[in-house]
Each structure stands twice: as C-alpha cells, then as structure tokens.
Amino acid sequence: MNDTVFKPSVEPVAIPLRELMPWVVFGGLLMLLAIYFVGAEQGATSLIPGMYVHEFVHDARHMLGFPCH
C-alpha cells in the first residue's frame, strides 16, 4: 500500500485590506442604491417621475417584504 500525501504546489496569497477596501465600498454603495430603488422609489421620495421603476421592481418589493399597495 502506498502512502501518498497531497501537497499543493501553489500557496494562497493574502489580499491586503488596502486593495480590497475600495471594492467593498463600491459594492456597498451599489447595494444601497439597489435597496433604494426596490424599497423607496415611489411617491414623495421618487427621483424618477412616473411609475416605471416601481413597476420594474414590483415583484422584488414583495419578495423582500416591502409594502407597496
């Protein structure tokens, strides 16, 4: 019986926090924008006139638990 040990030939490289932080901030801003459009884009807080955005994200509003009617 052979005893073989698997040794990875490539070691994982740690990503420095300074390189990762701009992407985390960018992703967070995109998520906040998405939550705004799904959760608050209607009525008095509307940035875009009409109900186009509301109708586009209507099912997502219900899935995430935002009331709309």
Side-chain angles (χ1 to χ4, degrees), residues 9-21:
S9 61
V10 178
E11 294 292 323
V13 178
I15 300 173
L17 187 59
R18 287 185 178 189
E19 291 181 18
L20 190 62
M21 200 52 150

Side-chain angles (χ1 to χ4, degrees), residues 2-64:
N2 292 336
D3 291 329
T4 58
V5 177
F6 175 70
K7 288 188 175 182
S9 61
V10 178
E11 294 292 323
V13 178
I15 300 173
L17 187 59
R18 287 185 178 189
E19 291 181 18
L20 190 62
M21 200 52 150
W23 292 104
V24 170
V25 170
F26 178 68
L29 289 174
L30 283 179
M31 293 305 291
L32 285 173
L33 186 66
I35 288 173
Y36 168 77
F37 277 113
V38 170
E41 178 62 29
Q42 70 175 11
T45 61
S46 181
L47 296 177
I48 300 172
M51 295 295 288
Y52 300 112
V53 174
H54 174 80
E55 292 301 324
F56 184 73
V57 297
H58 188 85
D59 292 338
R61 294 176 64 85
H62 290 295
M63 183 181 72
L64 295 173

